[in-house]
Amino acid sequence: MIVGVGIDVCSVSRFDAMLERHPGIVERLFNPAETRVRGLARSGRSLSARFAAKEALSKALGAPGNLSWRDAEVVSDDNDRPSMKMRGSVARRAAELGITRVHLSLSHDGGIATAIVIAERDEPASDGPGGDEPGNEPGDGADLDEAERDEPGRN
């Protein structure tokens, strides 16, 4: 079940300019592993996509103001497929929402970096009224309160 979706775009040139104006910001936004790939410093284009991913994840989590940028880390597998590693404040928020999976897609083209995050949780088994209990099929009135079920003209 999808809990949240987040999308963010980031101008690569504006992000590069911010990095030049505030050199220490890289350490505030990123974990050391995020700033390097195969031992080399990541490009501004790559970092801007990772920044957009953190923003998109925040949106998918409901954009609470207490998340730490470094508690969300973009990691890549051996095929360079990105995913999110969550810890601290981000992991706590995800747990509050019951999130069990996060999907991430990054792209950059035309000077814009884009990230999309989809946060999911496992669908619960029957969890009471409106769940998977017999008699709660769509259209049987189980989702209506008593006054609505007794409304004249309803079958």
Side-chain angles (χ1 to χ4, degrees), residues 86-104:
M86 299 180 286
R87 62 178 138 296
S89 61
V90 175
R92 280 190 297 278
R93 177 61 179 165
E96 287 172 10
L97 297 173
I99 292 170
T100 55
R101 282 174 304 288
V102 172
H103 306 276
L104 171 63

Side-chain angles (χ1 to χ4, degrees), residues 26-155:
V26 170
E27 289 77 24
R28 286 184 34 221
L29 297 176
F30 301 102
N31 291 293
E34 288 179 291
T35 64
R36 304 190 74 69
V37 60
R38 295 176 194 83
L40 302 173
R42 284 196 184 274
S43 67
R45 182 174 90 153
S46 179
L47 288 175
S48 63
R50 280 156 175 71
F51 179 73
K54 292 171 187 246
E55 285 277 347
L57 177 62
S58 175
K59 292 172 184 176
L61 296 176
N66 63 343
L67 301 181
S68 169
W69 292 111
R70 290 176 52 126
D71 284 348
E73 181 179 354
V74 178
V75 296
S76 299
D77 66 14
D78 292 337
N79 296 316
D80 289 331
R81 182 178 175 196
S83 62
M84 297 298 294
K85 184 185 236 182
M86 299 180 286
R87 62 178 138 296
S89 61
V90 175
R92 280 190 297 278
R93 177 61 179 165
E96 287 172 10
L97 297 173
I99 292 170
T100 55
R101 282 174 304 288
V102 172
H103 306 276
L104 171 63
S105 181
L106 303 176
S107 186
H108 23 68
D109 187 37
I112 300 291
T114 306
I116 297 173
V117 169
I118 299 172
E120 290 186 289
R121 71 172 171 232
D122 294 331
E123 291 206 35
S126 177
D127 62 344
D132 295 333
E133 297 174 353
N136 284 344
E137 284 77 30
D140 73 354
D143 56 340
L144 303 176
D145 66 30
E146 191 173 307
E148 290 173 311
R149 279 194 298 272
D150 293 336
E151 181 179 285
R154 287 196 54 87
N155 294 335

